[in-house]
Amino acid sequence: MTDSLTIRRPDDWHLHFRDDAVMKGVVPFTARQFARAIVMPNLSPPVTSVEGCVAYRDRIQAAVPAGVDFTPLMTAYLTDGVDGDELARGFAEGVFTAAKLYPAHATTGSAHGVTDIAQIMPALEKMASVGMPLLIHGEVTDSHVDIFDREAVFIERTLSGLVRNLPELKIVFEHITTADAAAFVDASGPNVAATITPQHLHINRNAMFAGGMRPHAYCLPVAKREVHRLALRKAATSGSTKYFLGTDSAPHAQSAKESACGCAGIFNAPYALESYVTVFDEEGALDRFEAFASENGPRFYGLPLNEGTITLERGETRVPDTVDANGTTIVPFHAGETLGWVYRG
Ligand code: DOR
Ligand code: ZN
């Protein structure tokens, strides 16, 4: 039995840092475990300009604890009529690493998102021509479509056509939650990849209703049936280079989650590696964890792999009921559980 796993330093290819006081509280959790992270731009107002993005990046960097080596990789928020030249300028200047497509009203902070992909085709063509990746929240927003079907319907209605029409565009299908999404990614060419969150590897939709309503198991895209969770575990641990680590860590105050209309999002940053490695261990795939956590992401993005290593050891990590993020109380993923791996740094 492997009791200790040393891997190249990993990155988190999708998360939310927010801004202001709570940002100062959550950045250290990620900086403790990851060398880099792709930072989502769904602030209020969203990050759309190069200058606004530089300022946000500076605020994040100021929140990294002294002596910790961590680099935020920034993203642009796509709106209808976005200027492709501005995106390309931000990409060329090393400010934007990628751009994020939120279908309008799909999730938290998506009110300014894209109403129809046709609106942004010129910008997507420009991105394809300069090699700038497109990150997609892949759900339709049509309220007539059952919430559990919105990802699969998005593939049919939007994503398959986009990949067909613009095959040279690099696309990350973010936080996939279905067997349909994994099958789509597997069947697509090398320009289509996906991130998978820890929660979608650990829980199915029953977790939201176990003995009562469980707001801390609610995120978007929402967890699906067990058959989908199993397909995601298979994809993540398959050894395919198309899948990589992206936590979608999404901090919301405990009070905003435990409410008549609780926010979507699971805060998994504090114990992200312990959570993922548990899945790879359970699947007998510890030897594939390094590629998923530390290699597939940078290779897809065309970025260098990190230097240095981190170590995870078998042992007990007791996850607290709540964590303090600079004055905001947040319930972390796995609250109250004990995980069987310890992060040693
Ligand atoms: O659950 C989610 N929370 N899904 C998203 O797409 C956004 C995120 C957030 O920003 O809270
Ligand atoms: Zn997200």
Side-chain angles (χ1 to χ4, degrees), residues 14-16 18 40 42 100 102 107 137 174-175 197 220-221 247-250:
H14 179 132
L15 59 56
H16 302 264
R18 314 302 187 204
M40 289 297 120
N42 63 333
K100 176 70 187 268
Y102 286 105
T107 185
H137 182 110
E174 299 286 0
H175 43 54
T197 75
L220 287 171
T247 62
D248 198 16
S249 182

PDB file of all heavy atoms in Angstrom, residues 14-16 18 40 42 100 102 107 137 174-175 197 220-221 247-250, ligand 2:
ATOM      1  N   HIS A  14      -9.439  26.176 -11.876  1.00  0.00           N
ATOM      2  CA  HIS A  14     -10.743  26.884 -11.850  1.00  0.00           C
ATOM      3  C   HIS A  14     -11.134  27.166 -10.404  1.00  0.00           C
ATOM      4  O   HIS A  14     -11.413  26.244  -9.647  1.00  0.00           O
ATOM      5  CB  HIS A  14     -11.832  26.014 -12.503  1.00  0.00           C
ATOM      6  CG  HIS A  14     -13.191  26.648 -12.500  1.00  0.00           C
ATOM      7  ND1 HIS A  14     -13.990  26.707 -13.619  1.00  0.00           N
ATOM      8  CD2 HIS A  14     -13.915  27.255 -11.524  1.00  0.00           C
ATOM      9  CE1 HIS A  14     -15.118  27.308 -13.340  1.00  0.00           C
ATOM     10  NE2 HIS A  14     -15.106  27.653 -12.065  1.00  0.00           N
ATOM     11  N   LEU A  15     -11.190  28.429 -10.048  1.00  0.00           N
ATOM     12  CA  LEU A  15     -11.747  28.755  -8.728  1.00  0.00           C
ATOM     13  C   LEU A  15     -12.214  30.200  -8.646  1.00  0.00           C
ATOM     14  O   LEU A  15     -11.983  31.004  -9.551  1.00  0.00           O
ATOM     15  CB  LEU A  15     -10.766  28.449  -7.590  1.00  0.00           C
ATOM     16  CG  LEU A  15      -9.401  29.109  -7.532  1.00  0.00           C
ATOM     17  CD1 LEU A  15      -9.441  30.622  -7.543  1.00  0.00           C
ATOM     18  CD2 LEU A  15      -8.686  28.670  -6.275  1.00  0.00           C
ATOM     19  N   HIS A  16     -12.873  30.506  -7.519  1.00  0.00           N
ATOM     20  CA  HIS A  16     -13.409  31.840  -7.251  1.00  0.00           C
ATOM     21  C   HIS A  16     -12.730  32.399  -5.996  1.00  0.00           C
ATOM     22  O   HIS A  16     -12.797  31.779  -4.940  1.00  0.00           O
ATOM     23  CB  HIS A  16     -14.922  31.772  -7.019  1.00  0.00           C
ATOM     24  CG  HIS A  16     -15.650  31.175  -8.191  1.00  0.00           C
ATOM     25  ND1 HIS A  16     -16.234  31.938  -9.167  1.00  0.00           N
ATOM     26  CD2 HIS A  16     -15.838  29.882  -8.560  1.00  0.00           C
ATOM     27  CE1 HIS A  16     -16.764  31.149 -10.090  1.00  0.00           C
ATOM     28  NE2 HIS A  16     -16.531  29.899  -9.751  1.00  0.00           N
ATOM     29  N   ARG A  18     -13.347  35.803  -5.199  1.00  0.00           N
ATOM     30  CA  ARG A  18     -14.123  36.977  -4.787  1.00  0.00           C
ATOM     31  C   ARG A  18     -13.202  38.202  -4.698  1.00  0.00           C
ATOM     32  O   ARG A  18     -12.173  38.259  -5.340  1.00  0.00           O
ATOM     33  CB  ARG A  18     -14.856  36.744  -3.444  1.00  0.00           C
ATOM     34  CG  ARG A  18     -15.588  35.426  -3.312  1.00  0.00           C
ATOM     35  CD  ARG A  18     -16.624  35.201  -4.382  1.00  0.00           C
ATOM     36  NE  ARG A  18     -17.412  33.989  -4.107  1.00  0.00           N
ATOM     37  CZ  ARG A  18     -18.031  33.303  -5.035  1.00  0.00           C
ATOM     38  NH1 ARG A  18     -17.967  33.670  -6.304  1.00  0.00           N
ATOM     39  NH2 ARG A  18     -18.736  32.240  -4.716  1.00  0.00           N
ATOM     40  N   MET A  40     -11.638  32.944 -11.554  1.00  0.00           N
ATOM     41  CA  MET A  40     -12.860  33.315 -12.277  1.00  0.00           C
ATOM     42  C   MET A  40     -13.149  34.804 -12.136  1.00  0.00           C
ATOM     43  O   MET A  40     -12.873  35.408 -11.088  1.00  0.00           O
ATOM     44  CB  MET A  40     -14.038  32.493 -11.749  1.00  0.00           C
ATOM     45  CG  MET A  40     -13.955  31.034 -12.148  1.00  0.00           C
ATOM     46  SD  MET A  40     -14.032  30.828 -13.943  1.00  0.00           S
ATOM     47  CE  MET A  40     -12.465  30.018 -14.237  1.00  0.00           C
ATOM     48  N   ASN A  42     -16.158  36.395 -12.211  1.00  0.00           N
ATOM     49  CA  ASN A  42     -17.567  36.752 -11.975  1.00  0.00           C
ATOM     50  C   ASN A  42     -17.739  37.587 -10.713  1.00  0.00           C
ATOM     51  O   ASN A  42     -18.474  37.248  -9.802  1.00  0.00           O
ATOM     52  CB  ASN A  42     -18.466  35.498 -11.943  1.00  0.00           C
ATOM     53  CG  ASN A  42     -18.119  34.542 -10.817  1.00  0.00           C
ATOM     54  OD1 ASN A  42     -16.984  34.493 -10.353  1.00  0.00           O
ATOM     55  ND2 ASN A  42     -19.098  33.760 -10.380  1.00  0.00           N
ATOM     56  N   LYS A 100     -13.756  33.541 -20.013  1.00  0.00           N
ATOM     57  CA  LYS A 100     -14.795  32.681 -19.464  1.00  0.00           C
ATOM     58  C   LYS A 100     -16.159  33.013 -20.055  1.00  0.00           C
ATOM     59  O   LYS A 100     -16.582  34.168 -20.037  1.00  0.00           O
ATOM     60  CB  LYS A 100     -14.847  32.868 -17.934  1.00  0.00           C
ATOM     61  CG  LYS A 100     -15.948  32.096 -17.227  1.00  0.00           C
ATOM     62  CD  LYS A 100     -15.692  30.600 -17.219  1.00  0.00           C
ATOM     63  CE  LYS A 100     -16.867  29.810 -16.662  1.00  0.00           C
ATOM     64  NZ  LYS A 100     -16.793  29.555 -15.234  1.00  0.00           N
ATOM     65  N   TYR A 102     -19.931  32.605 -19.485  1.00  0.00           N
ATOM     66  CA  TYR A 102     -21.106  32.272 -18.680  1.00  0.00           C
ATOM     67  C   TYR A 102     -22.333  32.536 -19.527  1.00  0.00           C
ATOM     68  O   TYR A 102     -22.559  33.700 -19.906  1.00  0.00           O
ATOM     69  CB  TYR A 102     -21.212  33.177 -17.441  1.00  0.00           C
ATOM     70  CG  TYR A 102     -20.232  32.890 -16.335  1.00  0.00           C
ATOM     71  CD1 TYR A 102     -19.146  33.726 -16.114  1.00  0.00           C
ATOM     72  CD2 TYR A 102     -20.403  31.788 -15.505  1.00  0.00           C
ATOM     73  CE1 TYR A 102     -18.257  33.471 -15.082  1.00  0.00           C
ATOM     74  CE2 TYR A 102     -19.507  31.525 -14.478  1.00  0.00           C
ATOM     75  CZ  TYR A 102     -18.439  32.370 -14.275  1.00  0.00           C
ATOM     76  OH  TYR A 102     -17.553  32.123 -13.252  1.00  0.00           O
ATOM     77  N   THR A 107     -25.735  31.089 -13.518  1.00  0.00           N
ATOM     78  CA  THR A 107     -25.218  30.823 -12.171  1.00  0.00           C
ATOM     79  C   THR A 107     -24.887  32.130 -11.464  1.00  0.00           C
ATOM     80  O   THR A 107     -25.191  33.216 -11.981  1.00  0.00           O
ATOM     81  CB  THR A 107     -23.977  29.904 -12.271  1.00  0.00           C
ATOM     82  OG1 THR A 107     -23.542  29.552 -10.952  1.00  0.00           O
ATOM     83  CG2 THR A 107     -22.829  30.561 -13.019  1.00  0.00           C
ATOM     84  N   HIS A 137     -18.834  27.623 -18.849  1.00  0.00           N
ATOM     85  CA  HIS A 137     -19.840  27.090 -17.923  1.00  0.00           C
ATOM     86  C   HIS A 137     -20.921  26.485 -18.828  1.00  0.00           C
ATOM     87  O   HIS A 137     -21.710  27.205 -19.428  1.00  0.00           O
ATOM     88  CB  HIS A 137     -20.420  28.197 -17.035  1.00  0.00           C
ATOM     89  CG  HIS A 137     -21.414  27.672 -16.039  1.00  0.00           C
ATOM     90  ND1 HIS A 137     -21.174  27.609 -14.685  1.00  0.00           N
ATOM     91  CD2 HIS A 137     -22.645  27.125 -16.208  1.00  0.00           C
ATOM     92  CE1 HIS A 137     -22.211  27.054 -14.071  1.00  0.00           C
ATOM     93  NE2 HIS A 137     -23.124  26.766 -14.977  1.00  0.00           N
ATOM     94  N   GLU A 174     -15.775  23.380 -18.288  1.00  0.00           N
ATOM     95  CA  GLU A 174     -15.477  23.468 -16.858  1.00  0.00           C
ATOM     96  C   GLU A 174     -16.419  22.621 -16.003  1.00  0.00           C
ATOM     97  O   GLU A 174     -17.585  22.406 -16.346  1.00  0.00           O
ATOM     98  CB  GLU A 174     -15.582  24.936 -16.401  1.00  0.00           C
ATOM     99  CG  GLU A 174     -14.602  25.874 -17.100  1.00  0.00           C
ATOM    100  CD  GLU A 174     -13.163  25.713 -16.626  1.00  0.00           C
ATOM    101  OE1 GLU A 174     -12.888  24.870 -15.754  1.00  0.00           O
ATOM    102  OE2 GLU A 174     -12.304  26.451 -17.141  1.00  0.00           O
ATOM    103  N   HIS A 175     -15.879  22.172 -14.885  1.00  0.00           N
ATOM    104  CA  HIS A 175     -16.629  21.437 -13.853  1.00  0.00           C
ATOM    105  C   HIS A 175     -17.706  20.520 -14.436  1.00  0.00           C
ATOM    106  O   HIS A 175     -18.893  20.683 -14.161  1.00  0.00           O
ATOM    107  CB  HIS A 175     -17.226  22.385 -12.808  1.00  0.00           C
ATOM    108  CG  HIS A 175     -17.864  23.645 -13.328  1.00  0.00           C
ATOM    109  ND1 HIS A 175     -18.842  23.658 -14.281  1.00  0.00           N
ATOM    110  CD2 HIS A 175     -17.644  24.948 -13.004  1.00  0.00           C
ATOM    111  CE1 HIS A 175     -19.194  24.908 -14.517  1.00  0.00           C
ATOM    112  NE2 HIS A 175     -18.480  25.705 -13.770  1.00  0.00           N
ATOM    113  N   THR A 197     -14.399  18.812 -10.450  1.00  0.00           N
ATOM    114  CA  THR A 197     -14.294  19.285  -9.063  1.00  0.00           C
ATOM    115  C   THR A 197     -14.231  18.094  -8.099  1.00  0.00           C
ATOM    116  O   THR A 197     -14.680  16.994  -8.434  1.00  0.00           O
ATOM    117  CB  THR A 197     -15.516  20.139  -8.665  1.00  0.00           C
ATOM    118  OG1 THR A 197     -16.630  19.261  -8.457  1.00  0.00           O
ATOM    119  CG2 THR A 197     -15.868  21.178  -9.714  1.00  0.00           C
ATOM    120  N   LEU A 220     -23.448  24.752  -8.728  1.00  0.00           N
ATOM    121  CA  LEU A 220     -23.880  24.670 -10.120  1.00  0.00           C
ATOM    122  C   LEU A 220     -22.671  24.423 -11.012  1.00  0.00           C
ATOM    123  O   LEU A 220     -21.641  25.079 -10.806  1.00  0.00           O
ATOM    124  CB  LEU A 220     -24.582  25.966 -10.550  1.00  0.00           C
ATOM    125  CG  LEU A 220     -25.981  26.140  -9.949  1.00  0.00           C
ATOM    126  CD1 LEU A 220     -26.514  27.543 -10.245  1.00  0.00           C
ATOM    127  CD2 LEU A 220     -26.947  25.086 -10.491  1.00  0.00           C
ATOM    128  N   PRO A 221     -22.734  23.548 -11.986  1.00  0.00           N
ATOM    129  CA  PRO A 221     -23.853  22.651 -12.219  1.00  0.00           C
ATOM    130  C   PRO A 221     -24.082  21.739 -11.006  1.00  0.00           C
ATOM    131  O   PRO A 221     -23.133  21.301 -10.365  1.00  0.00           O
ATOM    132  CB  PRO A 221     -23.425  21.835 -13.434  1.00  0.00           C
ATOM    133  CG  PRO A 221     -22.313  22.607 -14.060  1.00  0.00           C
ATOM    134  CD  PRO A 221     -21.651  23.366 -12.971  1.00  0.00           C
ATOM    135  N   THR A 247     -10.998  23.043  -8.891  1.00  0.00           N
ATOM    136  CA  THR A 247     -11.869  22.815  -7.726  1.00  0.00           C
ATOM    137  C   THR A 247     -13.228  23.478  -7.839  1.00  0.00           C
ATOM    138  O   THR A 247     -14.190  23.041  -7.235  1.00  0.00           O
ATOM    139  CB  THR A 247     -11.219  23.363  -6.443  1.00  0.00           C
ATOM    140  OG1 THR A 247     -11.042  24.784  -6.604  1.00  0.00           O
ATOM    141  CG2 THR A 247      -9.890  22.678  -6.162  1.00  0.00           C
ATOM    142  N   ASP A 248     -13.309  24.596  -8.582  1.00  0.00           N
ATOM    143  CA  ASP A 248     -14.492  25.463  -8.546  1.00  0.00           C
ATOM    144  C   ASP A 248     -14.796  25.906  -7.109  1.00  0.00           C
ATOM    145  O   ASP A 248     -15.954  26.115  -6.754  1.00  0.00           O
ATOM    146  CB  ASP A 248     -15.722  24.795  -9.178  1.00  0.00           C
ATOM    147  CG  ASP A 248     -16.793  25.812  -9.547  1.00  0.00           C
ATOM    148  OD1 ASP A 248     -16.475  27.013  -9.601  1.00  0.00           O
ATOM    149  OD2 ASP A 248     -17.947  25.417  -9.767  1.00  0.00           O
ATOM    150  N   SER A 249     -13.744  26.013  -6.298  1.00  0.00           N
ATOM    151  CA  SER A 249     -13.955  26.489  -4.927  1.00  0.00           C
ATOM    152  C   SER A 249     -14.710  27.815  -4.983  1.00  0.00           C
ATOM    153  O   SER A 249     -14.277  28.758  -5.636  1.00  0.00           O
ATOM    154  CB  SER A 249     -12.599  26.667  -4.238  1.00  0.00           C
ATOM    155  OG  SER A 249     -12.812  27.072  -2.900  1.00  0.00           O
ATOM    156  N   ALA A 250     -15.858  27.868  -4.305  1.00  0.00           N
ATOM    157  CA  ALA A 250     -16.770  29.014  -4.451  1.00  0.00           C
ATOM    158  C   ALA A 250     -17.269  29.430  -3.077  1.00  0.00           C
ATOM    159  O   ALA A 250     -18.310  28.977  -2.610  1.00  0.00           O
ATOM    160  CB  ALA A 250     -17.936  28.641  -5.359  1.00  0.00           C
TER     161      ALA A 250
HETATM  162 ZN    ZN B   2     -16.842  28.295 -11.070  1.00  0.00          ZN
END
